[in-house]
């Protein structure tokens, strides 16, 4: 069966223009990543998980995650926490920030998160999990989605028991990454569970895990009945996989790779500041330049350069024609001034007064 990835679908009342979703990834899903994802065909993009405690304490860095660009819509902002009152307040902030969907993280397997009763540990406490969904769904008029793993223990089928209850509590969509929390990222995502979940709920299900090509996207959609597939690791430094999944090619020229990387660098510097961006970006050099696109020592050289200006100069030297591609990209990318800034949030919500 040939499935059209260009079909639209609805998450609550939000129309999603394609059946491809860009995964939330902590330390990766900055605005530049999300904007790029939209340009390459993702119908929905998602922020990395944002700490509800950080929002509650008005932590400056956390609030930075609530910055929404005009070209990111539709955008989900994902929150994690375990206190219903704090979750509801955070969800109201997400709504005020201009997101289209509030996503709740019930899948993070990292101990730092699970030991606070958040993330994947909520799958073992369904009553509490449902209480959180209900609190958030009543606090906002945006649709609420939940992203979860199959369960905590290996072989767990908890998602099939909890999923329908989360929908009854107010979730308008579920995303399933069918690995256990214990598995972290080992083994494979068992999408037979995704198919079972689809048969149990009457809201759209998004299938996450190991979608790395058009063929895999098509087969996951066909065999599960999911509304959309989500792509994570395969898109790191590789927006061209999104293009391939949507029916295009995944063979960028060296100039295209360098131009996208430089645009990514510039946008990330704008978002995080020079110093934070410098460290943050290093992993992206390998992701962009790997996959046989550039010789390995070139990446090592970039990582060692002390400033971003030197990285840019070295990249242009390696692919001079990238200047023309970059000019075109800049021309096509909306002015950053269009973005919704936190200063424009209602002061009562932002915490003033
Ligand atoms: C570096 C990294 C960070 C992640 N951070 C988040 C996160 O903040 N929230 C979340 O729900 N999932 C997170 N995930 C899980 C992904 O969204 C996705 O479900 C998982 O990687 C499986 O999809 P993939 O095989 O396409 O990568 C993260 C994954 C990775 C690799």
């Amino acid at each position: 069966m040939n499935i059209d990835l260009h079909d639209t679908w609805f998450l609550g009342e939000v129309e999603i223009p394609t059946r491809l979703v860009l995964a939330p990834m902590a330390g990766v899903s900055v605005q530049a990543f999300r904007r790029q994802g939209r340009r390459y065909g993702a119908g929905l993009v998602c922020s990395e998980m944002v700490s509800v405690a950080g929002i509650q304490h008005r932590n400056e860095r956390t609030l930075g995650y609530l910055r929404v660009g005009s070209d990111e819509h539709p955008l989900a902002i994902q929150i994690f926490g375990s206190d219903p009152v704090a979750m509801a307040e955070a969800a109201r902030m997400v709504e005020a920030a201009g997101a289209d969907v509030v996503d709740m993280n019930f899948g993070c397997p990292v101990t730092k998160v699970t030991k606070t009763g958040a993330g994947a540990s909520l799958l073992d406490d369904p009553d509490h999990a449902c209480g959180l969904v209900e609190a958030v769904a009543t606090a906002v008029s945006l649709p609420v989605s939940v992203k979860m793993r199959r369960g905590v223990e290996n072989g767990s089928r908890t998602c099939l028991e909890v999923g329908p209850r989360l929908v009854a509590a107010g979730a308008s969509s579920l995303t399933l990454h069918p690995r256990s929390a214990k598995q972290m990222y080992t083994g494979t995502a068992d999408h037979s569970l995704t198919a079972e979940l689809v048969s149990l709920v009457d809201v759209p299900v998004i299938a996450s895990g190991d979608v790395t090509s058009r063929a895999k996207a098509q087969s996951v959609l066909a065999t599960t009945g999911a509304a959309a597939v989500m792509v994570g690791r395969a898109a790191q430094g590789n927006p061209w996989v999104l293009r391939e999944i949507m029916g295009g090619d995944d063979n960028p020229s060296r100039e295209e790779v360098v131009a996208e990387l430089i645009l990514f660098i510039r946008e990330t510097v704008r978002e995080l500041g020079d110093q934070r961006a410098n460290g943050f970006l290093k992993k992206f050099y390998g992701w962009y330049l790997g996959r046989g696109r550039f010789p390995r020592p070139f990446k090592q050289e970039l990582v060692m350069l002390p400033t971003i200006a030197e990285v840019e100069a070295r990249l242009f030297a390696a692919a001079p024609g990238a200047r023309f591609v970059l000019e075109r990209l800049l021309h096509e990318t909306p002015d950053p001034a269009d973005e919704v800034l936190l200063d424009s949030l209602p002061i009562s919500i932002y915490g003033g007064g």
Side-chain angles (χ1 to χ4, degrees):
M1 186 174 21
N2 200 23
I3 289 178
D4 191 356
L5 271 288
H6 291 88
D7 280 347
T8 62
W9 57 285
F10 282 86
L11 199 167
E13 288 181 359
V14 178
E15 185 171 7
I16 313 292
T18 72
R19 299 179 69 180
L20 177 60
V21 178
L22 191 63
M25 286 186 284
V28 177
S29 299
V30 286
Q31 265 192 329
F33 184 73
R34 303 184 319 238
R35 281 196 167 117
Q36 185 184 64
R38 292 284 292 126
R39 277 192 288 122
Y40 279 84
L44 177 67
V45 296
C46 192
S47 77
E48 69 174 81
M49 56 188 223
V50 184
S51 157
V52 155
I55 292 178
Q56 209 177 13
H57 296 120
R58 304 295 186 260
N59 177 295
E60 202 180 318
R61 190 177 279 198
T62 310
L63 293 177
Y65 293 128
L66 303 186
R67 213 175 275 143
V68 175
S70 61
D71 54 344
E72 293 188 68
H73 300 286
L75 165 79
I77 290 185
Q78 187 186 69
I79 53 176
F80 74 96
S82 62
D83 173 56
V85 176
M87 287 293 255
E89 191 203 337
R92 280 192 287 267
M93 291 275 288
V94 165
E95 182 166 48
D100 303 284
V101 175
V102 183
D103 190 57
M104 300 176 70
N105 182 312
F106 290 3
C108 181
V110 176
T111 315
K112 204 173 115 189
V113 171
T114 54
K115 75 175 184 208
T116 65
S121 67
L122 285 163
L123 297 172
D124 276 347
D125 192 352
D127 290 340
H128 189 55
C130 290
L132 293 178
V133 170
E134 206 176 323
V136 168
T138 41
V140 293
S141 53
L142 299 181
V144 174
S145 58
V146 175
K147 183 164 180 289
M148 61 183 171
R149 290 214 171 205
R150 64 184 292 165
V152 173
E153 300 298 329
N154 290 341
S156 168
R157 295 168 59 80
T158 306
C159 61
L160 302 179
E161 288 152 36
V162 179
R165 292 191 57 191
L166 299 175
V167 173
S172 294
S173 169
L174 300 174
T175 301
L176 180 62
H177 175 202
R179 280 186 172 88
S180 70
K182 285 258 161 69
Q183 260 183 294
M184 304 292 282
Y185 293 93
T186 61
T188 51
D190 179 359
H191 283 297
S192 67
L193 279 168
T194 315
E196 284 191 67
L197 182 64
V198 168
S199 71
L200 294 173
V201 295
D202 57 3
V203 296
V205 172
I206 302 170
S208 169
D210 304 344
V211 177
T212 54
S213 66
R214 180 169 175 79
K216 180 77 188 208
Q218 296 261 356
S219 87
V220 167
L221 287 172
T223 57
T224 63
V229 282
M230 177 178 270
V231 176
R233 289 165 296 173
Q236 292 172 335
N238 190 24
W240 300 280
V241 75
L242 305 176
R243 186 164 77 187
E244 192 266 341
I245 289 173
M246 293 307 292
D249 77 86
D250 64 350
N251 277 319
S253 65
R254 284 164 66 95
E255 287 71 25
E256 241 183 305
V257 172
V258 165
E260 281 292 350
L261 175 54
I262 290 177
L263 180 62
F264 191 87
I265 290 171
R266 288 185 183 176
E267 287 195 18
T268 304
V269 167
R270 192 170 53 77
E271 183 181 354
L272 303 182
D274 216 51
Q275 206 184 353
R276 236 178 106 200
N278 200 2
F280 174 90
L281 284 165
K282 289 192 191 294
K283 58 184 180 285
F284 284 87
Y285 302 153
W287 288 338
Y288 272 91
L289 306 173
R291 300 179 164 90
R293 291 173 185 153
F294 284 80
R296 200 178 282 251
F298 182 53
K299 176 196 103 181
Q300 300 299 346
E301 195 188 322
L302 287 191
V303 171
M304 301 302 286
L305 291 173
T307 67
I308 284 182
E310 285 165 272
V311 170
E312 232 190 68
R314 187 66 193 84
L315 283 167
F316 275 134
R323 283 187 194 281
F324 304 107
V325 186
L326 182 62
E327 251 172 53
R328 180 175 53 76
L329 289 176
L330 288 170
H331 187 68
E332 288 166 6
T333 315
D335 191 325
D338 288 348
E339 105 190 345
V340 176
L341 290 173
L342 285 169
D343 299 347
S344 64
L345 288 179
I347 201 151
S348 57
I349 295 174
Y350 187 50

